[in-house]
Amino acid sequence: MSDIPETHPRRASLLSRQKLVDAQAKGMLANSALIAHGRGEAFDYLLGEKTTSGARNAAQEVLARMSNAKNPVISVNGNTVALAIEQLLLLADKIGCPIEVNIYYRTPERMNALLNHIEEVRSHLGIDVLILGSNPDGEIPNLDGPRAKCCSAGILNADAILVPLEDGDRCEALINMGKEVFVVDLNPLSRTARMATICIVDEISRAVSVMLEMDCSAVKVNPDFDATSSRDAVLDEMLDALKRNQTEA
Ligand code: ATP
Ligand code: MG
């Protein structure tokens, strides 16, 4: 894949696909991971694979709220780790919060593959971020089975949680625990996007890169931030892209 020319119009997309294929081979992903990625790609196509100004505003608000929270945590699943763990480790370091591995289809093999990979990247970066998930001692109420497991030093007692690519059910359960839940989801119509306190409608690695460029001390919480309008702004950009293509056809 490294032989894709720098100028290839689909370079970023092809590199992301390869990251997922490699993660699949390492046992980090659920069987449905590539399907979930495909759904995201379809929406990203409508965005021209670029961060919109609406997404940038949402990212700024999320960074402000995560930086101001008492017990913030970043929760990661397989796709998130495959696509953006380096940026998320840097973001956790910047905010000063732990990262918790919290997956829908939890098996010891997948958890080990993910935890080992994150530890490898963390030590390569030479930063000191707490990685949680290996010893869950809590449960998210009103969720069945292993997907409810979480850590008291992380998700269970967090007041603010950044949880990219979350499932709608778990997003709802976390909201019902009284937390501020920030998601990254390319589909502005998903249950997750609509349930979350704030949804950044953008591709995960781009969204986190945008937050890494911002200065934590310069961003201020806006208690009146309108999450619905923020999502609608990105949806409008997608609809405009569709209409433009219709006119050009
Ligand atoms: P929900 O459970 O919220 O109703 P869903 O069941 O349609 O949504 P899931 O399969 O649970 O979706 O999760 C996949 C979601 O992640 C999709 O909404 C997709 O748009 C989004 N997604 C996939 N890849 C990315 C990515 N790289 N960046 C951001 N979002 C992504
Ligand atoms: Mg779902």
Side-chain angles (χ1 to χ4, degrees), residues 105-225:
Y105 301 106
R106 181 187 280 260
T107 64
E109 294 76 17
R110 267 192 79 204
M111 286 301 292
N112 282 338
L114 287 165
L115 288 162
N116 290 341
H117 179 74
I118 298 174
E119 181 48 34
E120 216 174 273
V121 179
R122 190 202 60 75
S123 86
H124 184 73
L125 289 170
I127 55 176
D128 197 15
V129 170
L130 180 62
I131 314 293
L132 300 166
S134 53
N135 295 305
D137 55 353
E139 286 203 346
I140 303 170
N142 302 315
L143 276 185
D144 303 327
R147 66 189 180 136
K149 288 187 180 175
C150 66
C151 295
S152 56
I155 292 174
L156 190 70
N157 292 311
D159 54 344
I161 169 167
L162 173 61
V163 52
L165 322 189
E166 180 56 301
D167 172 65
D169 262 18
R170 280 210 309 200
C171 181
E172 185 171 13
L174 293 168
I175 289 277
N176 288 341
M177 289 172 83
K179 302 178 189 306
E180 292 217 287
V181 181
F182 310 122
V183 302
V184 182
D185 193 329
L186 277 159
N187 177 3
L189 303 170
S190 74
R191 284 191 69 232
T192 304
R194 286 182 287 122
M195 293 292 314
T197 312
I198 297 175
C199 176
I200 306 170
V201 184
D202 198 12
E203 196 280 325
I204 174 64
S205 58
R206 287 201 309 268
V208 182
S209 299
V210 161
M211 285 193 265
L212 286 174
E213 284 162 15
M214 294 172 179
D215 177 358
C216 284
S217 59
V219 292
K220 298 270 170 289
V221 172
N222 170 11
D224 298 324
F225 184 84

